[in-house]
Amino acid sequence: MKNEYILEGKLRRVALEKTRDGIQITVDGNIRSVHCEEIDSGHFVIEKDGVKYRAVVREMGDRTHVWVNGQTVVLERPKSEAVGIVGSSDSHLTAPMPGTLSKLLVTEGQIVEPKQTVAILEAMKMEHNLRAPRAGKVAKVFFKEGDVLEADATVLDLEPLAEED
Amino acid sequence: MKNEYILEGKLRRVALEKTRDGIQITVDGNIRSVHCEEIDSGHFVIEKDGVKYRAVVREMGDRTHVWVNGQTVVLERPKSEAVGIVGSSDSHLTAPMPGTLSKLLVTEGQIVEPKQTVAILEAMKMEHNLRAPRAGKVAKVFFKEGDVLEADATVLDLEPLAEED
Amino acid sequence: MFKKLLVANRGEIAVRVLRTAREMGITTVAVYSQADRKSLHVEMADEAVEIGPPPPLESYLNIERIIGAAKATGAEAIHPGYGFLAENASFAKACSEAGLIFVGPPSDALRRVGDKLEARQLALSVGAPVIPGMTAVQPDIGAFKKEAQKIGYPVLVKAAAGGGGKGMRVVSSLADLNAGLEAAMRESQTAFGDATVYLEKYIAEPRHIEMQILCDEHGNAVWLGERECSIQRRHQKIIEESPSPVMTAKLRVEMGQTAVKIAKAAGYRNAGTVEFLYEKGHYYFLEVNARLQVEHPVTELCTGLDLVALQLQIASGEPIPLTQEQVQPRGHAVECRIYAEDAARDFLPSSGVIAALAEPQGPGVRCDSGLREGLEISVHYDPILSKVITHGESRDEAIRRMRRALSDYVILGVATPISLLLDILKHPAFLSGKLSTHFLDHHFADWKPPRPSENVQEMALIAATLARAGARRSDGALSSKARPTPWQTIGHWEIAHG
Amino acid sequence: MFKKLLVANRGEIAVRVLRTAREMGITTVAVYSQADRKSLHVEMADEAVEIGPPPPLESYLNIERIIGAAKATGAEAIHPGYGFLAENASFAKACSEAGLIFVGPPSDALRRVGDKLEARQLALSVGAPVIPGMTAVQPDIGAFKKEAQKIGYPVLVKAAAGGGGKGMRVVSSLADLNAGLEAAMRESQTAFGDATVYLEKYIAEPRHIEMQILCDEHGNAVWLGERECSIQRRHQKIIEESPSPVMTAKLRVEMGQTAVKIAKAAGYRNAGTVEFLYEKGHYYFLEVNARLQVEHPVTELCTGLDLVALQLQIASGEPIPLTQEQVQPRGHAVECRIYAEDAARDFLPSSGVIAALAEPQGPGVRCDSGLREGLEISVHYDPILSKVITHGESRDEAIRRMRRALSDYVILGVATPISLLLDILKHPAFLSGKLSTHFLDHHFADWKPPRPSENVQEMALIAATLARAGARRSDGALSSKARPTPWQTIGHWEIAHG
């Protein structure tokens, strides 16, 4: 089988192929000489060059979380959408977690600086500052103070500054 | 769904039935008023008359092991074989676990008393006495000393004592 | 001793209290919100009562519901844990009015030490050193401006009802005073239902050192040794230890005696903590935490005592079963708090489902946890998941043991600060005991999680692919227990070279 | 300190040793038989080497393979755990000949204390009280008959190379002597590869009390307090505790000093245990266990020391880092051994797969385990699965804590003695400390597991049926992680009345 993941912004390819001697693993086309032991469902011990790696894998939607020797690596499945769509973090500001919009500090049409706090979200008994990802003009605000937001809800749209701004 | 188990030698019937108000549970035809919470796969908290029971269930072949509040209850699925077959413990002596038959203390035709040690099985670095389940005559011996036995292998058959024995 | 106890809390602390109560042969009652139906504390208690919808105000902060649950189940006493109603004087009062034992200080003492300004007065009255600042509630911004001017910027705005770093703001100049006051008041209102704030001198490089105390109704009081809790983020502790690297035997006795004096002056009862700031050989009274604290296990591992058992004994009217001389701390203990939060993104709380879990075990390792696989971490509550506490003969051994324990701790599904904690536990300043409450700002302001090595990345990619292969193979071949048995999985693969 | 350690063992003890080694920054190497590929100790080590097929003689007892693995991986030292090669003088010798540090006594000392008769002579030479019996190997049955006649029946036949109750038989009359000798010799040959047995007076109601010692190569030696291990089945300990309920401060010092004297006379080094029988105020030297014992955690919890860390320090040539006066045991500790065995069927070992597992946690609870869900418990090895050790301020607290811990311990798939242990921990004779090595024979000879109440039976039936319903529903709906997520399961059922 073949598998593709995005890791650190790069597309990585893993292939498992049955051969006469066992199963051949390639990463980005390079054969990897490893010894794999499945300990339990989603729980592996992999040995490479005499070094052992403990790995625990859980798929969670589009993301696969893998714990390897005390570090957590998050792999993303490549999106089927066409490349080129602007990342949401650039043109929209989204709620990083569910919570209550306790303070809205900008209005539509206002120009904001990068990292400027534009709203305050309250969740888990704490206040969290939502900051502008870049400079821009607030094109649209989708909520008002006191609204309860779901995770990833778009709070506001930013549009690029025109030359004259 | 309906389920049957043997518990303490008795046949017990459990039925789950969808009703307008939820799911109705009957045990041996009697409705049980309980509150069930599935915590995780095979892991339940059941409340009856204000008392909580924690239960962990694992099916293992014909047997279902259930841990309930610190006690382990083993349920058996009723065998499809016709009722009336003599239990293996009564007419055969079986190895309770895998091991080496280190000593055979009876020969075919010999009459044995209940609880008499008839063979010694060695497993896990220990000797274990195999004892006759009841009085009887050794009808057949299936292994010799030094043989390696699987769990549940029949070591010998016992036949009931005739009147004249 | 009473026969039945209701635990008015959730998560790891409810589990921890339930364990000791069960060991003492006390029947236990859990309460839970609709979000916590499948929680460990609900499962562990002998009985459990649902007390309302997920928002705390409608469940864990709902005094009427909780007292109702106690009456309905015949509980004689209520342990509040920490947070929620633990330091709520009205709740303590409502308990006693309902004929229930509140496992904590009497309502009066709670009110006295809960008001930061009154607590300050109490400390002054017994001669304890305090931080320069306001001594009474001030009605308007003008008074704050004047006071700030007097003691000099930077100043610290604090919630009078505060705790846990909530409702606190450092203000470094007059220009920022208004905004700081507003933010602190808003947060204080949300967290404690009380917007009263006050102001004090901001101590630049303090250590946070606190003293655990016990008081009973027979006039006995002991101190159980200090904890240093200087490693904080967002004014909230994440690593605690005992003894403090700067503590001397003489200073310990002095701070212990001061702590007991303050508690006695307040009419305090049960377990509590007197917090101090320490800088350059001087210490200042900070506040009283009138509850069992998150970091109490550090003291338990050093003293060999069970603070919850002692709390229940004291609450049932028994005298403290040991003298000051019998308190003999031994070795060194360290606690790391595991929050559902992203340390690389300004400690943003993280919600989700615990998809994989393996908790650390072994000699000298304790893990106080409310977790299990499949548990949903809700957005409604404080994001503390668990605590790892290690004990060793020396500070060095306790720290090395903690590093081992944390590197064995598997939690997938929510972000945790484990890799930050591991980096702190390796940092030269931490290892040499050079701590202050600004430790993280000084040394970890731009911290990013260590980048996985190319080998670790490749192993993650391979393991993820193997897991998909395994999941595929087990389709349709699953046993009725709904997970593949070992021999149904892909098993042992030896990969031939080239 | 050496940099790389090979652990020549498996199961819980390998895991326990690996934990401390990792905490000390030592690189670890595990060895494993083909049956143990998926074991926890293999996963936990930095490197792992397969050493042969499942039978111990071909793997864990294969000296050549183990030393080969150490050389191949560059390990400098070998920790043998307990059992297998732990007390094998040839192995210790082979290690030193291969330039490897054996973490244990020198080969000579092992031989000296390993021969029960020579150990007896050693004890006599330092004036330690011993049990009347043979003082040398005897060539024929005639000599045994004569000796038995002299000391009087009942007598005890023991393997000279023995330990752990293997190769031992009580003979109560001349008629049974022959059969007893044969059985003991056969078992001894199997277990230790040596059929030599000897004979001594059988003490009717002894307590088993042992003293933990440490010796270094600089001539230092300390004793760390006693453990009482009277609760035994098949001559093998199942519950151990410290301090012993019959111990006095005076007797403890006397036994401690005697133990150290014997060890010094033997040229002993590293951690070891001197075992005694105790009856009516008298104690008799029994034997030296020249290894880390199964029950060592009891001493660790009381003293706050890490015996494995001390073993590694001593083995690397460091002096014992504490004086006799610095050893200050505190509180009370109890250990329960969890074997894969059926206590209701004459402790018949049980093999199978660990189908469900939840290990006890909480303050004062330690669980040393080599288990995980899905692990196959093989017929090839000693059936110990794990140990639960609890610590409390008093014996009562430690016992109550143990009851709570055991009643939380979920193991499905193999039989365990947990319900027997729970019954022992409630028994009046146990609670009052009236122990002897025949405790189980006296009080539990006809023990049957408590019959589940009708309610418990019904809950088991209902849960089993719900599990089947759940398993069915998740067919075809499984996520790729091959187990149903919580929201795919049957969830919350409220059953209406009537």
Side-chain angles (χ1 to χ4, degrees):
Chain A
M1 72 175 288
K2 285 192 179 144
N3 227 359
E4 293 192 340
Y5 291 107
I6 310 276
L7 173 55
E8 294 196 341
K10 275 181 240 148
L11 186 72
R12 308 291 301 263
R13 290 186 180 83
V14 188
L16 309 181
E17 211 175 316
K18 277 211 171 125
T19 68
R20 213 177 312 163
D21 305 317
I23 285 164
Q24 183 176 278
I25 298 183
T26 57
V27 178
D28 299 326
N30 303 308
I31 292 170
R32 288 291 170 252
S33 175
V34 296
H35 172 110
C36 305
E37 194 74 56
E38 178 161 33
I39 300 293
D40 196 2
S41 179
H43 180 174
F44 302 87
V45 174
I46 309 178
E47 194 178 318
K48 188 190 170 195
D49 302 331
V51 181
K52 280 170 54 252
Y53 299 86
R54 305 158 69 186
V56 179
V57 181
R58 290 293 184 274
E59 290 197 12
M60 316 190 68
D62 275 351
R63 289 174 178 207
T64 303
H65 293 227
V66 191
W67 181 95
V68 183
N69 284 5
Q71 280 190 292
T72 299
V73 180
V74 178
L75 311 174
E76 271 179 82
R77 312 276 313 159
K79 293 229 167 52
S80 48
E81 295 96 297
V83 183
I85 288 190
V86 178
S88 67
S89 64
D90 218 35
S91 64
H92 319 295
L93 183 76
T94 57
M97 58 183 313
T100 306
L101 194 67
S102 62
K103 200 101 187 165
L104 189 61
L105 302 166
V106 293
T107 51
E108 288 179 11
Q110 188 175 333
I111 289 164
V112 295
E113 294 177 8
K115 297 211 170 185
Q116 180 179 338
T117 300
V118 294
I120 297 173
L121 187 70
E122 195 194 307
M124 283 171 159
K125 302 200 307 185
M126 303 277 281
E127 292 195 346
H128 307 286
N129 295 335
L130 303 187
R131 296 169 196 277
R134 56 172 180 81
K137 185 191 272 184
V138 177
K140 180 127 189 81
V141 177
F142 297 92
F143 295 95
K144 61 180 194 302
E145 287 184 6
D147 282 357
V148 176
L149 276 60
E150 311 240 311
D152 296 324
T154 300
V155 179
L156 51 82
D157 283 353
L158 275 183
E159 62 188 32
L161 292 179
E163 292 288 308
E164 63 268 36
D165 282 328
Chain B
M1 73 174 287
K2 287 194 177 142
N3 228 358
E4 293 192 339
Y5 291 107
I6 310 276
L7 174 56
E8 294 196 342
K10 275 181 240 149
L11 186 71
R12 308 291 302 263
R13 290 185 180 82
V14 188
L16 308 182
E17 210 175 318
K18 277 208 173 131
T19 67
R20 212 178 311 164
D21 305 317
I23 286 162
Q24 182 177 281
I25 298 184
T26 57
V27 178
D28 300 326
N30 303 308
I31 292 170
R32 289 290 169 252
S33 175
V34 296
H35 173 109
C36 306
E37 195 74 56
E38 178 161 33
I39 300 294
D40 197 1
S41 179
H43 180 173
F44 301 88
V45 174
I46 309 178
E47 195 178 318
K48 188 192 169 193
D49 302 331
V51 181
K52 280 170 54 250
Y53 299 86
R54 305 158 69 185
V56 180
V57 181
R58 289 293 184 273
E59 291 197 12
M60 316 191 69
D62 275 351
R63 291 177 176 203
T64 303
H65 293 227
V66 190
W67 180 95
V68 183
N69 284 6
Q71 281 191 293
T72 299
V73 180
V74 178
L75 310 174
E76 272 180 81
R77 311 277 312 159
K79 294 229 168 48
S80 47
E81 294 98 297
V83 184
I85 287 189
V86 179
S88 67
S89 65
D90 217 35
S91 62
H92 319 293
L93 183 76
T94 56
M97 58 182 312
T100 305
L101 193 68
S102 62
K103 201 100 186 167
L104 189 62
L105 302 166
V106 293
T107 52
E108 289 179 10
Q110 189 175 332
I111 287 165
V112 295
E113 295 179 7
K115 297 210 170 184
Q116 181 180 336
T117 301
V118 295
I120 296 172
L121 187 71
E122 195 193 307
M124 284 172 160
K125 301 200 308 185
M126 302 277 282
E127 291 194 345
H128 308 286
N129 295 334
L130 302 188
R131 297 169 195 276
R134 57 173 179 82
K137 185 190 271 185
V138 177
K140 179 126 188 83
V141 178
F142 297 92
F143 294 95
K144 59 179 193 304
E145 286 184 7
D147 282 356
V148 176
L149 277 60
E150 311 241 310
D152 296 324
T154 300
V155 178
L156 50 82
D157 281 352
L158 275 183
E159 60 189 31
L161 291 180
E163 292 288 308
E164 62 268 36
D165 282 327
Chain C
M1 179 58 63
F2 38 81
K3 300 266 176 293
K4 200 166 191 175
L5 174 76
L6 182 144
V7 180
N9 215 302
R10 63 183 298 283
E12 69 87 15
I13 192 61
V15 169
R16 190 260 167 275
V17 172
L18 287 168
R19 282 183 172 134
T20 286
R22 286 178 52 203
E23 289 165 6
M24 294 172 78
I26 298 169
T27 304
T28 52
V29 181
V31 294
Y32 62 102
S33 78
Q34 284 154 14
D36 283 340
R37 268 194 340 240
K38 301 191 179 200
S39 291
L40 197 53
H41 77 284
V42 177
E43 181 179 352
M44 273 192 53
D46 297 299
E47 299 170 41
V49 180
E50 192 192 293
I51 49 164
L57 277 170
E58 301 175 49
S59 48
Y60 297 106
L61 289 171
N62 186 327
I63 293 177
E64 205 181 314
R65 288 285 187 96
I66 289 169
I67 291 192
K71 301 307 278 181
T73 54
E76 297 149 75
I78 299 186
H79 193 300
Y82 55 69
F84 293 131
L85 297 170
E87 294 172 272
N88 186 312
S90 314
F91 180 58
K93 189 145 172 272
C95 286
S96 71
E97 282 170 2
L100 298 164
I101 297 169
F102 174 76
V103 182
S107 161
D108 285 355
L110 265 180
R111 195 168 290 117
R112 230 166 275 138
V113 303
D115 184 309
K116 300 283 176 285
L117 292 172
E118 197 171 339
R120 217 180 127 85
Q121 289 300 339
L122 266 175
L124 281 169
S125 75
V126 299
V130 300
I131 301 167
M134 282 183 174
T135 49
V137 173
Q138 298 295 341
D140 58 52
I141 178 83
F144 280 87
K145 278 185 184 162
K146 216 169 118 189
E147 183 75 24
Q149 187 78 23
K150 198 177 95 194
I151 61 180
Y153 288 94
V155 295
L156 189 63
V157 181
K158 294 176 72 175
K166 279 160 197 149
M168 242 203 288
R169 285 293 184 281
V170 179
V171 174
S172 50
S173 70
L174 178 60
D176 298 333
L177 185 59
N178 215 10
L181 282 170
E182 263 187 28
M185 287 169 74
R186 200 165 51 234
E187 212 171 280
S188 176
Q189 178 66 43
T190 309
F192 313 110
D194 177 354
T196 312
V197 298
Y198 69 106
L199 189 149
E200 63 185 27
K201 171 83 188 142
Y202 179 65
I203 304 219
E205 286 294 331
R207 287 168 177 260
H208 178 113
I209 299 179
E210 61 190 28
M211 190 57 69
Q212 177 70 50
I213 55 153
L214 292 178
C215 302
D216 67 22
E217 64 188 53
H218 310 284
N220 305 306
V222 295
W223 48 271
L224 304 180
E226 83 281 7
R227 295 182 289 257
E228 169 150 10
C229 317
S230 298
I231 312 293
Q232 308 185 347
R233 92 278 178 274
R234 290 171 167 269
H235 299 290
Q236 207 170 21
K237 305 158 186 171
I238 53 170
I239 301 181
E240 300 101 341
E241 64 182 299
S242 183
S244 160
V246 291
M247 190 53 69
T248 62
K250 184 168 167 292
L251 183 61
R252 180 177 296 123
V253 171
E254 194 183 321
M255 286 176 76
Q257 289 174 344
T258 302
V260 163
K261 264 188 231 160
I262 293 169
K264 283 197 162 179
Y268 199 85
R269 216 153 69 206
N270 217 294
T273 298
V274 181
E275 296 191 327
F276 299 97
L277 290 186
Y278 170 99
E279 195 183 39
K280 296 169 192 153
H282 298 283
Y283 66 96
Y284 310 93
F285 168 77
L286 192 61
E287 61 186 50
V288 176
N289 280 183
R291 59 171 189 263
L292 185 71
Q293 278 188 304
V294 176
E295 60 269 28
H296 75 277
V298 163
T299 300
E300 293 185 324
L301 292 188
C302 286
T303 59
L305 302 172
D306 180 334
L307 291 184
V308 172
L310 289 163
Q311 282 195 297
L312 298 179
Q313 286 165 23
I314 291 169
S316 78
E318 296 173 26
I320 296 170
L322 75 172
T323 63
Q324 187 62 56
E325 290 64 43
Q326 287 175 312
V327 179
Q328 292 292 346
R330 184 168 74 188
H332 199 100
V334 177
E335 172 178 282
C336 285
R337 301 188 187 188
I338 311 300
Y339 286 100
E341 66 182 20
D342 192 341
R345 292 170 68 201
D346 203 20
F347 301 100
L348 191 72
S350 168
S351 57
V353 172
I354 303 296
L357 180 71
E359 300 200 307
Q361 286 186 307
V365 176
R366 168 173 161 184
C367 183
D368 277 19
S369 164
L371 297 181
R372 86 164 104 241
E373 271 191 26
L375 191 76
E376 204 176 336
I377 304 306
S378 143
V379 68
H380 298 288
Y381 310 112
D382 192 78
I384 194 162
L385 299 174
S386 68
K387 303 168 325 204
V388 181
I389 316 101
T390 59
H391 185 258
E393 294 166 54
S394 61
R395 184 172 193 260
D396 180 52
E397 185 176 88
I399 291 172
R400 285 188 279 107
R401 188 156 275 168
M402 180 63 80
R403 285 204 297 257
R404 197 277 297 165
L406 292 183
S407 63
D408 276 349
Y409 203 158
V410 181
I411 304 183
L412 291 180
V414 294
T416 72
I418 287 175
S419 59
L420 171 66
L421 290 165
L422 283 169
D423 280 356
I424 296 171
L425 294 169
K426 276 185 282 200
H427 195 281
F430 182 81
L431 294 179
S432 62
K434 293 200 185 95
L435 313 180
S436 90
T437 57
H438 305 305
F439 182 89
L440 286 193
D441 296 331
H442 292 334
H443 303 293
F444 287 85
D446 296 315
W447 179 83
K448 290 282 161 218
R451 207 182 144 255
S453 68
E454 180 54 29
N455 267 331
V456 165
Q457 293 191 26
E458 285 203 2
M459 295 310 125
L461 290 163
I462 290 171
T465 305
L466 291 174
R468 286 185 75 82
R472 237 182 241 192
R473 284 215 0 192
S474 57
D475 275 351
L478 280 171
S479 74
S480 57
K481 65 178 177 142
R483 58 190 295 192
T485 56
W487 42 87
Q488 289 172 322
T489 59
I490 51 173
H492 171 72
W493 295 6
E494 184 83 58
I495 313 303
H497 283 257
Chain D
M1 180 58 64
F2 38 80
K3 299 267 176 292
K4 201 166 191 175
L5 174 75
L6 182 144
V7 180
N9 215 302
R10 63 184 298 284
E12 69 87 15
I13 193 61
V15 169
R16 190 260 166 274
V17 172
L18 287 167
R19 281 185 172 132
T20 286
R22 286 178 53 204
E23 287 164 7
M24 295 173 76
I26 298 169
T27 304
T28 52
V29 182
V31 294
Y32 61 102
S33 78
Q34 284 154 14
D36 282 340
R37 268 191 344 235
K38 301 193 178 197
S39 291
L40 198 53
H41 78 283
V42 177
E43 181 178 352
M44 274 193 51
D46 297 300
E47 299 170 42
V49 181
E50 192 192 293
I51 50 165
L57 277 168
E58 301 174 52
S59 48
Y60 297 106
L61 288 172
N62 187 327
I63 293 177
E64 205 181 313
R65 289 284 187 95
I66 289 169
I67 291 193
K71 301 306 279 182
T73 54
E76 298 150 75
I78 299 187
H79 193 299
Y82 54 70
F84 294 130
L85 297 170
E87 295 173 271
N88 185 312
S90 313
F91 181 59
K93 190 147 173 270
C95 286
S96 70
E97 282 169 3
L100 297 164
I101 297 169
F102 174 76
V103 181
S107 160
D108 287 354
L110 265 180
R111 196 168 289 116
R112 230 167 275 138
V113 302
D115 183 309
K116 300 284 176 285
L117 292 171
E118 198 172 337
R120 215 181 130 83
Q121 289 302 336
L122 266 175
L124 280 168
S125 75
V126 299
V130 300
I131 300 167
M134 283 183 174
T135 51
V137 172
Q138 298 295 341
D140 58 50
I141 178 84
F144 279 87
K145 280 186 183 165
K146 215 169 118 189
E147 182 75 22
Q149 187 78 24
K150 199 179 97 193
I151 61 180
Y153 288 95
V155 296
L156 189 64
V157 181
K158 295 176 70 175
K166 278 160 196 148
M168 241 204 290
R169 284 293 183 283
V170 180
V171 175
S172 51
S173 70
L174 179 60
D176 298 334
L177 184 59
N178 214 10
L181 283 170
E182 263 187 28
M185 287 169 76
R186 199 167 51 236
E187 210 170 280
S188 176
Q189 178 67 42
T190 309
F192 313 109
D194 178 355
T196 312
V197 296
Y198 69 106
L199 189 149
E200 63 186 26
K201 172 81 188 144
Y202 178 65
I203 305 225
E205 287 295 330
R207 287 169 177 260
H208 178 115
I209 299 179
E210 61 190 27
M211 189 59 68
Q212 176 71 50
I213 55 153
L214 291 178
C215 302
D216 66 23
E217 64 188 54
H218 309 284
N220 306 305
V222 295
W223 48 272
L224 304 180
E226 83 282 6
R227 296 182 289 258
E228 169 148 11
C229 316
S230 298
I231 311 293
Q232 308 185 347
R233 93 279 179 274
R234 291 172 168 269
H235 299 291
Q236 208 170 22
K237 304 158 187 170
I238 54 170
I239 301 182
E240 299 102 340
E241 63 182 298
S242 184
S244 160
V246 291
M247 191 55 69
T248 62
K250 184 168 166 294
L251 184 61
R252 180 177 295 122
V253 171
E254 195 183 319
M255 287 176 76
Q257 288 175 345
T258 301
V260 163
K261 265 188 231 160
I262 294 170
K264 283 197 160 178
Y268 199 86
R269 217 154 67 207
N270 217 293
T273 297
V274 181
E275 296 191 326
F276 299 96
L277 290 186
Y278 170 98
E279 194 183 39
K280 297 169 193 154
H282 298 281
Y283 65 96
Y284 308 94
F285 168 76
L286 191 62
E287 61 185 50
V288 176
N289 281 183
R291 59 170 190 265
L292 185 71
Q293 279 188 303
V294 176
E295 60 271 27
H296 75 276
V298 163
T299 300
E300 293 185 325
L301 291 189
C302 287
T303 59
L305 301 172
D306 180 334
L307 290 184
V308 172
L310 289 164
Q311 281 194 298
L312 299 178
Q313 285 166 24
I314 290 170
S316 79
E318 295 174 26
I320 296 170
L322 75 172
T323 63
Q324 188 62 57
E325 291 63 43
Q326 288 174 312
V327 178
Q328 293 293 345
R330 185 169 74 189
H332 199 102
V334 177
E335 172 178 282
C336 285
R337 300 188 186 189
I338 311 300
Y339 286 100
E341 66 183 18
D342 191 341
R345 292 169 68 201
D346 203 21
F347 300 100
L348 192 73
S350 168
S351 57
V353 172
I354 303 295
L357 180 70
E359 299 200 307
Q361 286 186 308
V365 176
R366 166 172 162 186
C367 183
D368 277 21
S369 164
L371 298 181
R372 88 164 103 239
E373 270 191 26
L375 191 76
E376 204 177 336
I377 303 305
S378 142
V379 69
H380 298 288
Y381 310 113
D382 192 79
I384 195 162
L385 299 174
S386 68
K387 304 169 323 207
V388 181
I389 316 100
T390 58
H391 186 258
E393 293 167 54
S394 62
R395 184 172 192 260
D396 180 53
E397 185 176 86
I399 291 172
R400 284 188 279 108
R401 189 156 275 168
M402 180 63 81
R403 284 204 298 257
R404 196 278 296 166
L406 292 182
S407 62
D408 276 348
Y409 203 158
V410 181
I411 304 182
L412 291 181
V414 294
T416 72
I418 288 175
S419 59
L420 171 67
L421 291 165
L422 283 168
D423 280 355
I424 296 172
L425 295 169
K426 275 185 282 197
H427 195 281
F430 182 81
L431 294 178
S432 62
K434 292 201 185 96
L435 314 180
S436 90
T437 57
H438 304 304
F439 181 90
L440 285 193
D441 296 334
H442 292 335
H443 303 294
F444 288 85
D446 295 315
W447 179 84
K448 291 281 161 221
R451 204 180 147 257
S453 68
E454 180 54 29
N455 266 331
V456 165
Q457 293 191 26
E458 286 203 0
M459 295 309 126
L461 290 163
I462 290 171
T465 306
L466 291 174
R468 285 185 76 82
R472 237 182 240 190
R473 284 213 2 191
S474 57
D475 274 351
L478 280 171
S479 74
S480 58
K481 64 177 176 143
R483 58 190 294 193
T485 56
W487 41 88
Q488 288 171 323
T489 59
I490 51 173
H492 172 71
W493 295 5
E494 184 82 58
I495 313 304
H497 283 258

